[in-house]
Amino acid sequence: MNKIFISTASFAEYDKSPVSILEEKGLKVALNPYGRTLTKEEIVHFLDGVIGLIAGTEVLNKEVLSSAHSLKVISRCGAGMDNIDLKVAEILGIKVFNTPDAPTLAVAELTIGLIFALLRRLVEADSSIREGKWKKYMGSLLHNKKVGIIGLGRIGKKVSELLIPFGIEILSCEPNPDKYFVN
C-alpha cells in the first residue's frame, strides 16, 4: 500500500475529510505526531517508504530529499516553497506542487482582525478584564482611515478588497509591479 506522510502540524486537526479522501483512494496516511515543525532527523525518518509528502515548513534540502528513496511527489501547503530545494527535487524526479491561493482569504481576514485589534485596543481590554479590572479603553474607528499596504500580491490585494466597504483610502507600495500588474 502506498504511503503518504503529512508533516503539516495542524493538517486535519479540525476537518478529517482530506485524510478520508486520501484513504478512500487506497493510500495509507500518517500524520505528524508532534504538532510542530519536524527536525531534519525526524522528517528523514518519516519519509522512509513514503511516495507522497504533504509538506509544512520543514527544510527539504539535498540531504533530506536524497534520503527519501521512494518519494515521488511533494505538495506544499501554502504558497512558499523556499524550504524545498527545487533543483534537487527535479534532479531526483520528485514533482513539487504548492497551494498558493489556499491561505489567501484566511491570512487576509487575520490581517483585518489584527487591524481591528489594534484600533479598538482589544488586547489591552482583554488583559485588563482578565486581571479583574473593568477599564474602558477608547479605541478608534476603521471607517474613513488611510491604510498602507506593502505588497499587492494575493494577500495584499485581498486585504485591500476586504477594506473597501469601510470607506478607507488605501495607500500601497508594490516592489514588483510587473509581476502583478499588466499595462
Side-chain angles (χ1 to χ4, degrees):
M1 178 179 279
N2 290 324
K3 292 178 8 183
I4 303 289
F5 180 66
I6 301 171
S7 67
T8 306
S10 60
F11 194 91
E13 188 173 331
Y14 302 103
D15 179 9
K16 304 287 187 211
S17 63
V19 172
S20 297
I21 292 168
L22 292 169
E23 290 173 340
E24 287 168 11
K25 299 289 181 186
L27 299 166
K28 182 178 179 183
V29 178
L31 296 170
N32 177 338
Y34 302 121
R36 60 170 167 71
T37 301
L38 301 173
T39 66
K40 179 181 65 172
E41 293 77 17
E42 291 167 341
I43 193 71
V44 166
H45 168 75
F46 286 116
L47 289 178
D48 186 35
V50 166
I51 64 157
L53 170 64
I54 297 177
T57 57
E58 289 78 18
V59 174
L60 301 174
N61 59 18
K62 182 178 182 178
E63 181 183 353
V64 172
L65 295 175
S66 296
S67 71
H69 303 293
S70 57
L71 188 62
K72 299 195 181 321
V73 65
I74 298 169
S75 179
R76 169 72 180 90
C77 290
M81 298 211 306
D82 54 338
N83 61 315
I84 304 170
D85 190 327
L86 297 172
K87 289 179 183 177
V88 170
E90 183 179 5
I91 290 166
L92 295 172
I94 301 169
K95 301 284 187 194
V96 181
F97 302 92
N98 66 345
T99 57
D101 295 320
T104 301
L105 184 57
V107 173
E109 286 183 358
L110 285 169
T111 301
I112 303 294
L114 290 171
I115 290 170
F116 277 119
L118 289 169
L119 285 172
R120 303 306 300 209
R121 300 177 68 185
L122 297 178
V123 174
E124 292 167 272
D126 178 71
S127 293
S128 174
I129 201 112
R130 289 176 189 272
E131 292 173 3
K133 301 173 189 166
W134 181 256
K135 182 175 180 184
K136 293 182 181 181
Y137 288 91
M138 181 57 69
S140 181
L141 297 175
L142 179 57
H143 184 73
N144 287 332
K145 291 283 193 284
K146 291 181 182 179
V147 175
I149 299 176
I150 300 173
L152 288 172
R154 290 178 196 87
I155 294 167
K157 283 185 197 176
K158 184 55 76 175
V159 169
S160 298
E161 184 182 301
L162 293 173
L163 288 172
I164 288 171
F166 293 96
I168 63 155
E169 181 180 351
I170 297 171
L171 307 173
S172 62
C173 174
E174 172 50 54
N176 298 306
D178 294 340
K179 184 174 180 182
Y180 299 104
F181 301 103
V182 179
N183 293 332

